Amino acid sequence: MSKIQKIKGFADLFPKQSAVFSFLEETAKRVFGQYSFSELRTPILEKTELFTKGIGEDTDVVGKEMFTFPDKKGRMLTLRPEATAGVVRAYVEANEYQPGKISRYFTFGAMFRYERPQKGRQRQFHQLNAEMFGTAAPQADAEIIFMLTQFLHEIGLEKLTVELNSLGCTECRPKYKESLIKYYREKDFDKLCEDCQRRSDTNPLRVLDCKNPTCQEIVKDAPKVTEHICVDCAEHFKVVCSLLDEAGVEYVLNPRLVRGLDYYQRTTFEISSQDIGSQTAVAGGGRYDGLVKQLGGADVAGIGFACGMERLALLLGEKEPAPRDFFIAVTDELAINTAQIIALKLRRMGYSGEASYTSASMKSALRYADKLSVKNVLILGADEFAKKSVSIKSMHKEKAQETVLIETFLGAAKDYL
Ligand code: HAM
């Protein structure tokens, strides 16, 4: 029979890879918790319109990359390509908004984008995501970047670049858009790719984000957003930058950083590494003050970011899972049940490990234990069985093997393990 293979761009994460993912999640939970964020879990599947409305029809994510299909009743559903839209929907649906209240959530999990798979780019990938609602204060922008950079520092990543930009607001963006449209018209409009020719009038910022090399060449001299933002946006951005300066967070200003999703306003940022091939962005985010209202909620400000876990894992490498406390090797058939009962009692005390279901020679039992990565091997052979005892061999410490009564061992397990 032919083997069933996993879907292209989807991956299985075996223990050495999962251990890195767990480490990332545990560290993120701790660091995000220090900033008063709490966990929110939203569904993986949402109505398609949530993403078309929330992320924008002209984006690559919505236009080309969504896993969308009808359910049995013909309703269009989409596997979430990112977490922000779902978190906003949940926030609005649960009426979480109250004037003056600030809500902070983090959410971890699988996202889906129908992209061409390559190193650091999967069709199913995982994000560590954080969102904050209820304040437009620039201090919140700086704080969210503090949280992200502290997290990246604590997982051990140092050689990263923080890029920063401001995209302006509903007041100043229209004027910037006009100057972009004028620029494209005067420049080589005909050479823009088909997508960009179509969206250059309606959504000219997307052209700045296009990956087509000709489009990239054309936008090189395009007007810069930072030259067009209004006084309020400029003041907002200045406070963000000065707080980052004061905190010693290094960053590079990049007026081309428009991000691939339509909901951003004002501060945007991206963090990248040169050590993972062509897919360099490990995290990205920004402010999205109009999104909650756009998705049916109050006119409440929001800001957040997401880290790509696969890309962080590429930078960190694989991790050996923590060794177990014991393996019970059985070298006499009669001791197989006793081994299970000892294992059960040890687990009830909080120790981890396993017991053999079969009897084997001492040599092969030790070889097996070696592969398992355990701290101690407990041996139950004919001698031990006859004397109701167990032999304990430490695999890590320089300690002589000792044989004690099972009762004595279980009564003081912490002295032996
Ligand atoms: P994004 O920049 O689209 O932002 O994705 C964030 C991160 O997810 C990227 O920097 C990258 O590390 C990772 N990522 C994206 N696509 C893939 C892929 N196909 N394979 C592997 N990793 C990938 C967002 O998703 C926004 N929702 C972030 C945000 C939250 N903005 C505000 N709040």
Side-chain angles (χ1 to χ4, degrees):
M1 270 242 275
S2 65
K3 287 185 207 154
I4 298 171
Q5 295 183 334
K6 59 185 175 304
I7 303 168
K8 185 176 173 190
F10 286 58
D12 299 309
L13 300 174
F14 277 84
K16 283 183 189 174
Q17 292 142 343
S18 285
V20 186
F21 277 59
S22 299
F23 164 70
L24 293 173
E25 287 176 356
E26 280 153 23
T27 313
K29 261 188 194 165
R30 182 171 51 71
V31 175
F32 297 177
Q34 286 183 289
Y35 288 77
S36 296
F37 282 67
S38 308
E39 187 163 14
L40 168 68
R41 300 182 195 214
T42 64
I44 283 176
L45 201 56
E46 297 271 6
K47 291 182 181 159
T48 304
E49 64 179 318
L50 171 67
F51 303 113
T52 45
K53 270 194 195 156
I55 299 174
E57 308 229 26
D58 285 331
T59 59
D60 282 352
V61 171
V62 170
K64 301 176 188 166
E65 296 170 359
M66 295 208 299
F67 279 87
T68 294
F69 45 84
D71 72 1
K72 286 186 198 285
K73 293 208 167 135
R75 293 170 291 217
M76 295 312 285
L77 304 177
T78 295
L79 285 169
R80 64 180 179 193
E82 57 113 51
T84 312
V87 173
V88 172
R89 183 209 36 75
Y91 174 80
V92 171
E93 199 172 341
N95 287 321
E96 282 292 294
Y97 170 71
Q98 284 163 23
K101 179 181 162 195
I102 295 180
S103 304
R104 299 178 176 88
Y105 305 106
F106 66 80
T107 183
F108 305 156
M111 311 290 152
F112 305 84
R113 294 186 192 175
Y114 206 103
E115 295 189 83
R116 198 166 42 77
Q118 62 179 81
K119 188 177 173 197
R121 192 163 73 192
Q122 301 275 149
R123 289 184 176 170
Q124 175 181 288
F125 60 100
H126 298 78
Q127 285 185 343
L128 301 167
N129 188 88
E131 312 291 354
M132 167 162 29
F133 303 104
T135 177
Q139 290 77 11
D141 306 31
E143 193 183 26
I144 209 132
I145 299 172
F146 293 164
M147 180 165 100
L148 174 56
T149 49
Q150 181 181 334
F151 163 70
L152 294 168
H153 173 79
E154 293 204 14
I155 59 170
L157 297 181
E158 296 296 346
K159 282 182 2 216
L160 298 172
T161 309
V162 180
E163 288 177 274
L164 193 64
N165 193 21
S166 173
L167 290 180
C169 62
T170 44
E171 289 295 309
C172 49
R173 185 93 63 87
K175 274 187 232 126
Y176 177 56
K177 281 186 175 174
E178 266 171 40
S179 72
L180 277 179
I181 293 168
K182 187 160 170 273
Y183 172 84
Y184 300 142
R185 293 262 163 235
E186 285 167 6
K187 215 58 195 177
D188 305 308
F189 176 81
D190 298 341
K191 291 198 187 129
L192 288 173
C193 74
E194 223 173 274
D195 280 344
C196 285
Q197 290 197 14
R198 181 180 46 78
R199 62 195 174 183
S200 65
D201 274 354
T202 49
N203 203 339
L205 256 75
R206 287 274 68 84
V207 182
L208 297 177
D209 194 44
C210 181
K211 288 164 193 102
N212 181 307
T214 319
C215 297
Q216 284 182 354
E217 190 56 37
I218 293 172
V219 302
K220 245 176 48 206
D221 301 318
K224 294 191 172 73
V225 62
T226 28
E227 290 158 2
H228 289 77
I229 58 176
C230 62
V231 178
D232 285 353
C233 286
E235 187 50 39
H236 182 103
F237 197 47
K238 209 169 118 195
V239 177
V240 179
C241 293
S242 73
L243 271 167
L244 294 179
D245 292 338
E246 200 174 324
V249 175
E250 287 180 26
Y251 58 88
V252 183
L253 295 176
N254 177 1
R256 292 269 175 272
L257 185 71
V258 292
R259 311 263 307 122
L261 313 154
D262 272 354
Y263 48 61
Y264 291 111
Q265 282 194 24
R266 294 197 161 170
T267 314
T268 53
F269 50 89
E270 216 158 84
I271 300 194
S272 54
S273 162
Q274 298 312 313
D275 297 335
I276 41 173
S278 63
Q279 298 305 306
T280 58
V282 296
R287 186 163 272 295
Y288 47 81
D289 291 349
L291 183 61
V292 177
K293 191 168 175 210
Q294 198 178 318
L295 291 176
D299 191 3
V300 53
I303 181 166
F305 66 77
C307 298
M309 294 179 74
E310 278 73 7
R311 296 189 191 168
L312 296 178
L314 273 176
L315 288 168
L316 294 177
E318 291 184 337
K319 211 176 167 79
E320 285 298 334
R324 308 283 183 214
D325 297 310
F326 66 85
F327 168 64
I328 308 182
V330 180
T331 59
D332 183 350
E333 197 87 11
L334 291 174
I336 292 174
N337 284 350
T338 310
Q340 277 306 321
I341 299 301
I342 295 175
L344 174 71
K345 288 185 175 167
L346 287 173
R347 290 177 192 133
R348 284 178 175 167
M349 287 182 226
Y351 295 102
S352 60
E354 62 183 275
S356 177
Y357 306 116
T358 54
S359 132
S361 73
M362 183 67 86
K363 199 170 149 204
S364 74
L366 288 181
R367 209 181 310 126
Y368 182 72
D370 243 0
K371 280 199 217 125
L372 284 181
S373 139
V374 287
K375 294 184 201 157
N376 302 279
V377 180
L378 312 177
I379 301 154
L380 287 181
D383 268 5
E384 283 89 357
F385 187 72
K387 293 181 189 144
K388 292 193 171 22
S389 61
V390 58
S391 296
I392 306 136
K393 182 177 164 58
S394 170
M395 303 293 272
H396 289 177
K397 293 182 221 141
E398 283 295 320
K399 223 163 103 182
Q401 181 171 320
E402 52 184 325
T403 305
V404 290
L405 286 174
I406 292 172
E407 208 182 314
T408 313
F409 166 69
L410 289 176
K414 72 170 174 5
D415 297 339
Y416 296 100
L417 296 179

